[in-house]
Amino acid sequence: VLPSPEGPVPSVTITEIRQYLRAQGIPFHDGYSCLHTPSLFTAGREDQPPAASAPYTLFIDKTTGSFLCTATLAEGTWQDFQANVELQHRGAPPGSSEEAEEDMRQAREDARCIWERALPLCDLLDKDETNKTKAMFGINRVTDATLKRFGVRYLRTAKSLVFPWFSPRDATLKGLKLLRVEKKGDTIVYVEETLPRFDSYYNLFGLPLIGCRDTELVLTGWELDALALHQATGVASLALPRGSTSLPPALLPYLEQFKRITLWLGEDLRSWEAAKLFARKLSLKRCSLVRPGNLQPRPLEALNQGMDLTKILRAALPASHKSIVSFRQLREEVFGELANSEQVAGVKWARFPELNKLLKGHRRGELTVFTGPTGSGKTTFISEYALDLCMQGVCTLWGSFEISNVRLAKIMLTQFATQRLDDKLELYDEWADRFEDLPLYFMTFHGQQNIKAVIDTMQHAVYMYDITHVVVDNLQFMMGYEHLSVDR
């Protein structure tokens, strides 16, 4: 849930952060998306060097002010950081993330049990079973050595590949992702499950293999792509925990050491849009993007087709371009739009074929207004329309000013389960768990609001959760009925 309007999180500017650090005598480096400072949390730990020679392991996000110490994994808001500085001045030890650790403990225990039951693929006694499993996941060309290097295992009982999430600090198991294959007609669908749950899963798959001297990185949207890339090119490659859906700001500190980052997220135009969005978060000047297309599919597919992945990486386009461009610079993008005309039309609705004819699909940067008399079904329809997109991975933010979030969530959960749960309460937890994993967020405003507060909250949501679809229900209610002569 985003900050409540009753007590909004005070926004902080980069100037204020710098002024505070200077006033407190805290040295800092200016990074790409974070400020780097010595950690407040490592003092007194035996495995840490003295403060004078300590590396800068605490990272402060330039946009939000939230911090993360990569040495101890302590994290918090800008206000938490200031509180810890005050505590240190008083000689008290700074706070730690023990409460968060407690919540994660059960998930870690479950992950450990699964991890111990899973086997490295090369340890399956039956070679035929190994080959069949590799064929099922399309990784025939990925070697056993690569799978072993990244620590990938196979859980027979669930017919799933198991990708570990190791702590970069002490290599303990923090969680894992299970990947299985389901056949739906002629198409193959990959189903993912994470421990801990989706919204607490912050694994950068492959991070323990990164050396402190690595300066170039390829970011992928899928664990299997990271395997293929590393094997084919030898470059440092990581996979984002939620693919091209979002890049959680909590991961930015781990990406600060790289002077060049290439984003190769997938083979559709949604991945391309996501790559451009993430590049802004990471700092445009150090990012390059691999343009999706038939000649540049996703890394695993490129490996399977025997393509030269190093050549594709070399041809990546710089993310930052000047204010004036020639057609030569736009040529590839124009070709991409012509070759992928279906995808350019946007994300299609699965449940509304007639709407696809009318609107083509959901595209970023477009405004759609639905009007109709009271009680005609606007909210019911729009919740179904938004849910349809959300189930396809479109990160959605709801601003429900007329009805409460509880009532709205009840409507959407019923639509999601495609059945009434009033008289089937035993099914509630199962459906609620699945609903919880959708990239769906609600603003906590209700009734008439200050427009600036609403816009600020939306901008915060876009940065934190990579929102690509905002629903305001309804505009008239949000703005109030007086002063209608004012052009709001």
Side-chain angles (χ1 to χ4, degrees), residues 174-204:
K174 290 187 70 179
L176 44 83
K177 181 183 282 189
L178 296 170
L179 179 73
R180 70 177 195 276
V181 172
E182 281 185 4
K183 272 201 164 183
K184 292 190 176 174
D186 293 338
T187 55
I188 286 176
V189 181
Y190 291 94
V191 182
E192 295 180 352
E193 192 181 331
T194 63
L195 279 168
R197 294 294 295 278
F198 193 64
D199 57 348
S200 305
Y201 185 77
Y202 290 128
N203 180 21
L204 274 171

Short mmCIF file of all heavy atoms in Angstrom, two decimals, residues 174-204:
data_model
loop_
_atom_site.label_atom_id
_atom_site.label_comp_id
_atom_site.label_asym_id
_atom_site.label_seq_id
_atom_site.Cartn_x
_atom_site.Cartn_y
_atom_site.Cartn_z
N LYS A 174 18.69 -17.44 0.79
CA LYS A 174 17.64 -16.52 1.24
C LYS A 174 16.28 -16.87 0.68
O LYS A 174 15.26 -16.43 1.19
CB LYS A 174 17.98 -15.09 0.80
CG LYS A 174 19.16 -14.48 1.53
CD LYS A 174 19.34 -13.03 1.16
CE LYS A 174 18.24 -12.16 1.72
NZ LYS A 174 18.43 -10.74 1.37
N GLY A 175 16.27 -17.63 -0.41
CA GLY A 175 15.00 -17.99 -1.05
C GLY A 175 15.30 -18.68 -2.35
O GLY A 175 16.45 -18.99 -2.67
N LEU A 176 14.24 -18.95 -3.13
CA LEU A 176 14.45 -19.58 -4.44
C LEU A 176 13.24 -19.38 -5.33
O LEU A 176 12.17 -18.98 -4.89
CB LEU A 176 14.80 -21.06 -4.29
CG LEU A 176 14.02 -21.94 -3.32
CD1 LEU A 176 12.74 -22.43 -3.96
CD2 LEU A 176 14.86 -23.15 -2.94
N LYS A 177 13.48 -19.64 -6.62
CA LYS A 177 12.40 -19.58 -7.61
C LYS A 177 12.26 -20.95 -8.25
O LYS A 177 13.25 -21.58 -8.62
CB LYS A 177 12.72 -18.52 -8.67
CG LYS A 177 11.61 -18.38 -9.73
CD LYS A 177 11.97 -17.38 -10.82
CE LYS A 177 11.77 -15.96 -10.37
NZ LYS A 177 11.92 -15.00 -11.50
N LEU A 178 11.01 -21.42 -8.37
CA LEU A 178 10.72 -22.69 -9.06
C LEU A 178 10.14 -22.36 -10.42
O LEU A 178 9.27 -21.49 -10.54
CB LEU A 178 9.70 -23.51 -8.26
CG LEU A 178 10.14 -23.99 -6.87
CD1 LEU A 178 8.96 -24.56 -6.10
CD2 LEU A 178 11.22 -25.05 -6.99
N LEU A 179 10.63 -23.04 -11.46
CA LEU A 179 10.13 -22.81 -12.82
C LEU A 179 9.67 -24.14 -13.40
O LEU A 179 10.45 -25.10 -13.44
CB LEU A 179 11.24 -22.22 -13.69
CG LEU A 179 10.88 -21.96 -15.16
CD1 LEU A 179 9.96 -20.76 -15.29
CD2 LEU A 179 12.13 -21.74 -16.01
N ARG A 180 8.40 -24.20 -13.80
CA ARG A 180 7.91 -25.43 -14.43
C ARG A 180 7.26 -25.09 -15.77
O ARG A 180 6.95 -23.93 -16.05
CB ARG A 180 6.95 -26.18 -13.52
CG ARG A 180 5.63 -25.53 -13.29
CD ARG A 180 4.70 -26.41 -12.42
NE ARG A 180 3.34 -25.95 -12.49
CZ ARG A 180 2.82 -24.98 -11.77
NH1 ARG A 180 3.57 -24.35 -10.89
NH2 ARG A 180 1.55 -24.61 -11.91
N VAL A 181 7.06 -26.14 -16.58
CA VAL A 181 6.49 -25.95 -17.92
C VAL A 181 5.09 -26.53 -17.95
O VAL A 181 4.86 -27.64 -17.48
CB VAL A 181 7.37 -26.66 -18.98
CG1 VAL A 181 6.70 -26.63 -20.34
CG2 VAL A 181 8.75 -26.00 -19.06
N GLU A 182 4.14 -25.76 -18.49
CA GLU A 182 2.78 -26.27 -18.68
C GLU A 182 2.42 -26.14 -20.15
O GLU A 182 2.78 -25.16 -20.80
CB GLU A 182 1.78 -25.46 -17.84
CG GLU A 182 1.75 -25.84 -16.38
CD GLU A 182 0.65 -25.09 -15.62
OE1 GLU A 182 -0.13 -24.34 -16.27
OE2 GLU A 182 0.58 -25.25 -14.40
N LYS A 183 1.71 -27.15 -20.67
CA LYS A 183 1.27 -27.09 -22.07
C LYS A 183 -0.18 -26.64 -22.11
O LYS A 183 -1.04 -27.22 -21.45
CB LYS A 183 1.42 -28.46 -22.72
CG LYS A 183 2.78 -28.70 -23.33
CD LYS A 183 2.74 -29.80 -24.38
CE LYS A 183 3.99 -29.77 -25.25
NZ LYS A 183 3.93 -30.78 -26.31
N LYS A 184 -0.45 -25.57 -22.86
CA LYS A 184 -1.82 -25.12 -23.06
C LYS A 184 -2.10 -25.17 -24.55
O LYS A 184 -1.73 -24.28 -25.30
CB LYS A 184 -2.01 -23.71 -22.51
CG LYS A 184 -1.91 -23.66 -20.98
CD LYS A 184 -2.33 -22.33 -20.42
CE LYS A 184 -2.32 -22.37 -18.89
NZ LYS A 184 -2.59 -21.06 -18.29
N GLY A 185 -2.72 -26.28 -24.96
CA GLY A 185 -2.91 -26.51 -26.39
C GLY A 185 -1.57 -26.75 -27.05
O GLY A 185 -0.81 -27.62 -26.63
N ASP A 186 -1.26 -25.93 -28.05
CA ASP A 186 0.03 -26.07 -28.76
C ASP A 186 1.11 -25.20 -28.14
O ASP A 186 2.29 -25.34 -28.47
CB ASP A 186 -0.13 -25.69 -30.25
CG ASP A 186 -1.03 -26.69 -30.97
OD1 ASP A 186 -1.15 -27.83 -30.46
OD2 ASP A 186 -1.61 -26.33 -32.01
N THR A 187 0.71 -24.29 -27.25
CA THR A 187 1.71 -23.36 -26.70
C THR A 187 2.26 -23.87 -25.37
O THR A 187 1.59 -24.57 -24.62
CB THR A 187 1.10 -21.96 -26.48
OG1 THR A 187 -0.05 -22.09 -25.64
CG2 THR A 187 0.71 -21.32 -27.79
N ILE A 188 3.53 -23.50 -25.12
CA ILE A 188 4.20 -23.86 -23.87
C ILE A 188 4.22 -22.62 -22.98
O ILE A 188 4.58 -21.53 -23.42
CB ILE A 188 5.63 -24.35 -24.16
CG1 ILE A 188 5.58 -25.75 -24.77
CG2 ILE A 188 6.47 -24.36 -22.90
CD1 ILE A 188 6.94 -26.28 -25.19
N VAL A 189 3.80 -22.78 -21.73
CA VAL A 189 3.77 -21.67 -20.79
C VAL A 189 4.70 -21.99 -19.62
O VAL A 189 4.69 -23.10 -19.09
CB VAL A 189 2.33 -21.46 -20.24
CG1 VAL A 189 2.29 -20.30 -19.27
CG2 VAL A 189 1.36 -21.21 -21.38
N TYR A 190 5.53 -21.02 -19.26
CA TYR A 190 6.43 -21.18 -18.10
C TYR A 190 5.73 -20.60 -16.87
O TYR A 190 5.27 -19.46 -16.90
CB TYR A 190 7.76 -20.46 -18.34
CG TYR A 190 8.61 -21.11 -19.41
CD1 TYR A 190 8.57 -20.68 -20.73
CD2 TYR A 190 9.45 -22.17 -19.08
CE1 TYR A 190 9.35 -21.29 -21.71
CE2 TYR A 190 10.24 -22.78 -20.05
CZ TYR A 190 10.18 -22.33 -21.36
OH TYR A 190 10.95 -22.93 -22.32
N VAL A 191 5.66 -21.41 -15.81
CA VAL A 191 5.00 -20.97 -14.57
C VAL A 191 6.06 -20.82 -13.48
O VAL A 191 6.84 -21.74 -13.23
CB VAL A 191 3.93 -21.99 -14.14
CG1 VAL A 191 3.21 -21.50 -12.88
CG2 VAL A 191 2.92 -22.22 -15.26
N GLU A 192 6.08 -19.64 -12.84
CA GLU A 192 7.08 -19.37 -11.80
C GLU A 192 6.43 -19.30 -10.42
O GLU A 192 5.28 -18.87 -10.30
CB GLU A 192 7.76 -18.01 -12.08
CG GLU A 192 8.59 -18.00 -13.33
CD GLU A 192 9.25 -16.64 -13.57
OE1 GLU A 192 8.94 -15.69 -12.81
OE2 GLU A 192 10.08 -16.53 -14.49
N GLU A 193 7.19 -19.72 -9.42
CA GLU A 193 6.74 -19.60 -8.03
C GLU A 193 7.96 -19.22 -7.21
O GLU A 193 9.05 -19.78 -7.40
CB GLU A 193 6.20 -20.95 -7.56
CG GLU A 193 5.44 -20.88 -6.26
CD GLU A 193 4.94 -22.25 -5.84
OE1 GLU A 193 4.68 -23.11 -6.71
OE2 GLU A 193 4.86 -22.48 -4.62
N THR A 194 7.80 -18.25 -6.31
CA THR A 194 8.97 -17.79 -5.53
C THR A 194 8.76 -17.99 -4.04
O THR A 194 7.63 -17.93 -3.54
CB THR A 194 9.26 -16.29 -5.77
OG1 THR A 194 8.15 -15.52 -5.31
CG2 THR A 194 9.52 -16.00 -7.23
N LEU A 195 9.86 -18.24 -3.36
CA LEU A 195 9.90 -18.24 -1.89
C LEU A 195 11.02 -17.28 -1.49
O LEU A 195 12.15 -17.50 -1.92
CB LEU A 195 10.25 -19.64 -1.35
CG LEU A 195 9.13 -20.67 -1.28
CD1 LEU A 195 9.70 -22.04 -1.01
CD2 LEU A 195 8.14 -20.30 -0.18
N PRO A 196 10.79 -16.20 -0.74
CA PRO A 196 9.49 -15.77 -0.21
C PRO A 196 8.56 -15.31 -1.32
O PRO A 196 8.91 -15.37 -2.51
CB PRO A 196 9.88 -14.61 0.70
CG PRO A 196 11.15 -14.08 0.11
CD PRO A 196 11.87 -15.29 -0.42
N ARG A 197 7.38 -14.82 -0.93
CA ARG A 197 6.36 -14.43 -1.91
C ARG A 197 6.88 -13.35 -2.85
O ARG A 197 7.82 -12.62 -2.56
CB ARG A 197 5.10 -13.93 -1.18
CG ARG A 197 4.37 -15.00 -0.38
CD ARG A 197 3.77 -16.08 -1.28
NE ARG A 197 2.74 -15.50 -2.12
CZ ARG A 197 1.50 -15.29 -1.72
NH1 ARG A 197 1.13 -15.64 -0.50
NH2 ARG A 197 0.61 -14.75 -2.52
N PHE A 198 6.18 -13.22 -3.96
CA PHE A 198 6.56 -12.36 -5.08
C PHE A 198 7.04 -10.96 -4.66
O PHE A 198 8.07 -10.49 -5.11
CB PHE A 198 5.34 -12.25 -5.99
CG PHE A 198 5.62 -11.65 -7.34
CD1 PHE A 198 6.45 -12.29 -8.23
CD2 PHE A 198 5.05 -10.45 -7.72
CE1 PHE A 198 6.71 -11.75 -9.48
CE2 PHE A 198 5.31 -9.90 -8.96
CZ PHE A 198 6.13 -10.56 -9.85
N ASP A 199 6.28 -10.30 -3.75
CA ASP A 199 6.61 -8.91 -3.42
C ASP A 199 7.80 -8.77 -2.47
O ASP A 199 8.27 -7.67 -2.23
CB ASP A 199 5.38 -8.18 -2.84
CG ASP A 199 4.83 -8.88 -1.60
OD1 ASP A 199 5.24 -10.02 -1.34
OD2 ASP A 199 3.99 -8.28 -0.90
N SER A 200 8.31 -9.89 -1.93
CA SER A 200 9.50 -9.84 -1.06
C SER A 200 10.70 -10.53 -1.71
O SER A 200 11.72 -10.73 -1.07
CB SER A 200 9.21 -10.52 0.28
OG SER A 200 8.09 -9.96 0.89
N TYR A 201 10.54 -10.92 -2.97
CA TYR A 201 11.60 -11.69 -3.64
C TYR A 201 12.48 -10.72 -4.43
O TYR A 201 12.08 -10.22 -5.48
CB TYR A 201 10.95 -12.73 -4.57
CG TYR A 201 11.94 -13.67 -5.24
CD1 TYR A 201 12.51 -14.72 -4.54
CD2 TYR A 201 12.30 -13.51 -6.58
CE1 TYR A 201 13.41 -15.58 -5.13
CE2 TYR A 201 13.19 -14.36 -7.19
CZ TYR A 201 13.74 -15.39 -6.46
OH TYR A 201 14.64 -16.24 -7.06
N TYR A 202 13.68 -10.44 -3.89
CA TYR A 202 14.56 -9.45 -4.51
C TYR A 202 15.87 -10.08 -5.00
O TYR A 202 16.93 -9.50 -4.83
CB TYR A 202 14.88 -8.33 -3.51
CG TYR A 202 13.71 -7.45 -3.20
CD1 TYR A 202 13.32 -7.19 -1.89
CD2 TYR A 202 12.97 -6.87 -4.23
CE1 TYR A 202 12.23 -6.37 -1.61
CE2 TYR A 202 11.89 -6.05 -3.96
CZ TYR A 202 11.53 -5.81 -2.65
OH TYR A 202 10.46 -4.99 -2.40
N ASN A 203 15.79 -11.24 -5.59
CA ASN A 203 17.00 -11.91 -6.05
C ASN A 203 17.49 -11.33 -7.37
O ASN A 203 16.71 -11.18 -8.31
CB ASN A 203 16.69 -13.41 -6.24
CG ASN A 203 17.89 -14.20 -6.71
OD1 ASN A 203 19.03 -13.76 -6.56
ND2 ASN A 203 17.66 -15.34 -7.29
N LEU A 204 18.78 -11.01 -7.42
CA LEU A 204 19.43 -10.74 -8.71
C LEU A 204 20.17 -12.03 -9.04
O LEU A 204 21.28 -12.25 -8.54
CB LEU A 204 20.39 -9.57 -8.61
CG LEU A 204 19.79 -8.18 -8.80
CD1 LEU A 204 20.81 -7.11 -8.46
CD2 LEU A 204 19.28 -7.97 -10.21
#
